[in-house]
Amino acid sequence: CRRAIVYAEMRRIRVTRIVASRHLPSHWRCVVTPKRGRGMTFTSLHIESAKAPVEDQILAMQAFTAELLQRAARKNPSIDFVSGKPLLICLLWLAVYLALLGFIGLGAYIFVIALLGTQAIISSILAFLAGAGLVAATAIPLLGWVRNNWPARFDPLAGTPQS
């Protein structure tokens, strides 16, 4: 089944880097959204069969995407070019991470209080520092994820997206 979306009908092109998971390697995804109807998704992954290993064809995908972005920008300047994940997904994961960080900090605080006892003032200070330190250490990957995945507009005629 071959489908096509003409440049004049394109509303948005989103380029996203997908981080590796247990089942798939890290790869790139390009989603073309038309003004009406279903969008088209292109990925750098190549799956020949269910038993064959998944292959990431990043160089071919980069060449294809660069050409698509250039042509689309020239043919239809009103296209919204975006890199990163959708804003709602970013906000959802940010809320989940912040809740987890709260539980981690509270858990560290309770652990130190239980370990040292509640009588000493120093135990409260140490518990607070332990909780804050653990939250800070676990927040570093969160900040990296937000920096790499936050949606941003770009101009394909000025350069490639940094997603």
Side-chain angles (χ1 to χ4, degrees), residues 8-57:
E9 289 297 311
M10 291 180 181
R11 181 173 56 89
R12 176 183 300 124
I13 297 179
R14 178 181 299 277
V15 180
T16 307
R17 180 180 176 271
I18 308 297
V19 178
S21 68
R22 193 165 90 179
H23 303 288
L24 294 173
S26 61
H27 60 282
W28 287 87
R29 180 181 298 157
C30 177
V31 179
V32 179
T33 306
K35 293 176 183 172
R36 290 177 291 285
R38 288 188 6 209
M40 295 174 71
T41 301
F42 304 99
T43 179
S44 63
L45 294 181
H46 174 70
I47 304 171
E48 195 165 317
S49 69
K51 295 186 180 189
V54 176
E55 177 184 356
D56 187 18
Q57 299 182 342

Side-chain angles (χ1 to χ4, degrees), residues 2 11 17 20 33 35 38-39 47-48 58 66 89 92 107-108 116 126 130 134 136 139-140:
R2 293 200 181 263
R11 181 173 56 89
R17 180 180 176 271
T33 306
K35 293 176 183 172
R38 288 188 6 209
I47 304 171
E48 195 165 317
I58 189 74
I89 298 293
L92 174 70
L116 298 178
L126 286 176
L134 198 53
I140 291 171

Side-chain angles (χ1 to χ4, degrees), residues 38-153:
R38 288 188 6 209
M40 295 174 71
T41 301
F42 304 99
T43 179
S44 63
L45 294 181
H46 174 70
I47 304 171
E48 195 165 317
S49 69
K51 295 186 180 189
V54 176
E55 177 184 356
D56 187 18
Q57 299 182 342
I58 189 74
L59 296 177
M61 178 66 175
Q62 285 177 335
F64 169 77
T65 305
E67 183 68 23
L68 172 68
L69 294 173
Q70 294 283 321
R71 286 185 183 189
R74 284 190 200 104
K75 299 277 185 177
N76 184 356
S78 68
I79 295 175
D80 189 21
F81 295 96
V82 181
S83 64
K85 303 245 189 284
L87 183 60
L88 188 60
I89 298 293
C90 287
L91 292 175
L92 174 70
W93 278 112
L94 192 59
V96 167
Y97 280 137
L98 290 176
L100 288 174
L101 289 177
F103 284 122
I104 289 170
L106 181 62
Y109 181 83
I110 291 171
F111 176 76
V112 171
I113 289 291
L115 187 65
L116 298 178
T118 58
Q119 302 302 325
I121 293 177
I122 194 97
S123 66
S124 294
I125 295 170
L126 286 176
F128 178 77
L129 291 176
L134 198 53
V135 165
T138 54
I140 291 171
L142 164 67
L143 296 175
W145 186 89
V146 167
R147 184 176 48 87
N148 291 331
N149 291 292
W150 198 260
R153 287 178 172 35

